Amino acid sequence: SSRIYCDTSVFGGCFDDEFAEASNQLFEAFQQGTHVLVVSQTTLTELMDAPPEVRDLLKTVPEEFRESIPATEEIDALRDAYLSAGIVGPASKLDAAHIAAATVADVDVIVSWNFKHIVHYEKILGYDGVNLISGYSTIPIHSPLEVA
């Protein structure tokens, strides 16, 4: 089974008409243990501010099928490298933090509905470039439509 990193948009997508079908298919795969749901401290912090139904989604995935990436200085350093490289601006620091956590944890794929700062051809090239220079693997980045 793949270790799939989800940012907060995938959780919210379960309750959005446009994104619900693919998001819910992905969560069903996590609930059944077909894949492992990987989240970071950034995801968990963002979920604390989300509506209760979005926040509670995490609990629907059995503990053995979810993984939480602890916050580390290594993640912060990689996040800052993305910002220094100008891949995303300072306002998108949390988006960079998602990619950094997923990269350091060496997940199989990153999934997001954020087409502006994450699932975006030029941004992906940027993240990949910094990862390679910094000694990390490149991680495939897709929308749930391509993974579910």
Side-chain angles (χ1 to χ4, degrees):
S1 63
S2 296
R3 292 167 62 240
I4 300 179
Y5 182 92
C6 290
D7 76 356
T8 320
S9 70
V10 181
F11 287 78
C14 290
F15 303 96
D16 181 305
D17 290 345
E18 189 182 351
F19 303 126
E21 189 180 356
S23 299
N24 283 305
Q25 280 178 349
L26 196 51
F27 269 89
E28 281 166 24
F30 295 140
Q31 287 154 356
Q32 292 160 8
T34 313
H35 296 300
V36 174
L37 167 63
V38 183
V39 295
S40 65
Q41 290 306 305
T42 303
T43 317
L44 297 174
T45 303
E46 288 180 338
L47 284 174
M48 287 186 335
D49 295 329
E53 68 272 16
V54 176
R55 205 169 49 228
D56 292 344
L57 206 49
L58 191 60
K59 296 179 203 148
T60 69
V61 178
E63 273 183 48
E64 62 266 35
F65 304 138
R66 57 180 143 108
E67 178 188 334
S68 188
I69 304 165
T72 62
E73 288 178 11
E74 184 184 2
I75 291 170
D76 291 348
L78 185 57
R79 173 202 67 201
D80 292 346
Y82 297 147
L83 295 171
S84 299
I87 299 164
V88 289
S92 302
K93 188 175 179 178
L94 292 175
D95 298 324
H98 282 296
I99 306 298
T103 298
V104 169
D106 199 28
V107 300
D108 296 305
V109 63
I110 295 167
V111 176
S112 173
W113 288 116
N114 182 338
F115 293 111
K116 195 170 178 189
H117 300 124
I118 294 179
V119 192
H120 181 291
Y121 175 70
E122 285 176 17
K123 305 295 181 195
I124 291 168
L125 288 179
Y127 295 127
D128 285 352
V130 171
N131 284 356
L132 289 172
I133 291 165
S134 307
Y136 295 100
S137 301
T138 59
I139 311 279
I141 299 177
H142 294 288
S143 83
L145 288 170
E146 301 167 293
V147 177

